[in-house]
Structure formats: structure tokens, C-alpha cells
Amino acid sequence: MSDRPLIVTAQLPHELQARANALRQEHFPPERNYLDAHVTLFHAIPAQCEDELKRCVKSIVGEFAPVCARLLGVMSLGGGTALKLESPAMLDLRDHIADRFHGMLTQQDQHKPRLHVTVQNKVSSRAAKALQAQLTPQIDAQDFAFRGLAIWRYLGGPWEALGDYAFRGKQVI
């Protein structure tokens, strides 16, 4: 088993995923673009928690229906640009996972994230502001549902997929 940390993401619906991937391909610096577009819930759960994390995620997706969310528009990351998302229900599910791994989370993962999909990062503030101005009229607010959760292993740049778990339960939150 690897000692590399684990990442948990919320899975976008396929159409929104494709659109975010296209934006990322077009605007993310190519030398650092190892990944598809993603919504990170946890950045670094310890590797020794892998089996417990998989059991936890499987339990959650088995209980809950796809989780309601909203694309709000464009968001500044300072030196980058993202699609801003809102989902109180996803943050509640995230809290459940965080409680399960209390004492094992990094400082970064102890705080609720601002849900977003990064489409540009590590560029000048000027370049980021220009893209935000360009994208703002093109990105309309829309409702969607997260289709599941995924677990990844961080490999120092690229990520190794460890599991993609679709929501299949009946409980709506």
C-alpha cells in the first residue's frame, strides 16, 4: 500500500463535466494540467485510512440520491479562475466524512471548502481577471446534481483513481 494521501471529489454530471474539462483544456497552463476538472472535498486524507474511507463513501452513496447543487457563475482564485458552485447538501455530506476522520485531517481539510471547479490556475492576476471578464457572460447559473463521489491517490501531480461511487440511494438531502 502506498503512503500517498487520498483525495475525495464530488462527481459532476457528465454534461457539466465535459464543459468544465473543455474550459480547463483551453485555459489551464498545459505543463500543469494533469487532471480532468474536479470538485475537491478533501485534499489529503492519510493513506492508512483507505479501507475505512472506501467503506464510508460506499455507505453514503448507497443511502443518498444524487445531491442537488447550483453552478453560480465565475469565481476568482486570485491567480486563477473557477466555476463557483453551491451545495449545502454536499457540504453536509462532507461534514459527515470529516467527523468520521476527526483527528486525521490536515489543517486544510479541517475547514469547509468553497465548492468550485478550477479552470485556470497559477497565472498572473491580469490574465485571471481577463478570463473572468471573458467567461462571466458565457456562464449562466444552473441547477444540477452531483452524480457521486470519487477517491483518488495523490501521485505528486497526476492522481490515481481508486474508486468512482455513484449515488444510488433514495434519501434526498
Side-chain angles (χ1 to χ4, degrees):
M1 181 168 16
S2 172
D3 63 347
R4 299 287 185 136
L6 306 172
I7 299 161
V8 179
T9 60
Q11 300 295 84
L12 296 166
H14 296 293
E15 184 178 298
L16 183 53
Q17 179 72 47
R19 185 173 184 203
N21 281 342
L23 287 170
R24 191 173 169 97
Q25 282 297 117
E26 185 176 350
H27 301 292
F28 206 93
E31 68 278 3
R32 288 190 292 278
N33 193 13
Y34 313 113
L35 309 169
D36 283 343
H38 56 277
V39 180
T40 305
L41 299 178
F42 293 94
H43 295 85
I45 292 179
Q48 67 265 27
C49 297
E50 182 177 341
D51 291 339
E52 183 179 355
L53 179 61
K54 286 179 177 177
R55 285 191 304 272
C56 177
V57 167
K58 286 177 185 177
S59 173
I60 288 170
V61 300
E63 184 177 342
F64 293 98
V67 176
C68 294
R70 185 161 178 80
L71 167 61
L72 298 175
V74 176
M75 172 179 165
S76 173
L77 298 176
T81 301
L83 302 178
K84 184 176 183 177
L85 309 177
E86 177 181 71
S87 179
M90 181 56 74
L91 291 176
D92 287 347
L93 285 181
R94 187 205 172 276
D95 284 348
H96 176 76
I97 297 170
D99 287 346
R100 178 91 172 255
F101 293 95
H102 177 78
M104 302 294 289
L105 299 178
T106 63
Q107 186 76 13
Q108 181 180 26
D109 284 340
Q110 290 176 29
H111 302 286
K112 278 190 183 181
R114 296 179 303 160
L115 297 178
H116 67 279
V117 180
T118 303
V119 296
Q120 175 196 53
N121 204 9
K122 301 192 189 310
V123 299
S124 71
S125 177
R126 173 178 278 170
K129 287 178 183 175
L131 180 59
Q132 290 155 27
Q134 175 190 336
L135 290 181
T136 294
Q138 299 174 21
I139 305 296
D140 294 325
Q142 70 178 65
D143 293 327
F144 69 92
F146 286 108
R147 63 180 176 81
L149 301 173
I151 301 173
W152 309 83
R153 185 181 321 282
Y154 179 69
L155 299 178
W159 298 354
E160 175 189 2
L162 298 179
D164 188 346
Y165 306 91
F167 289 114
R168 61 188 190 287
K170 294 182 179 176
Q171 187 173 342
V172 176
I173 58 170

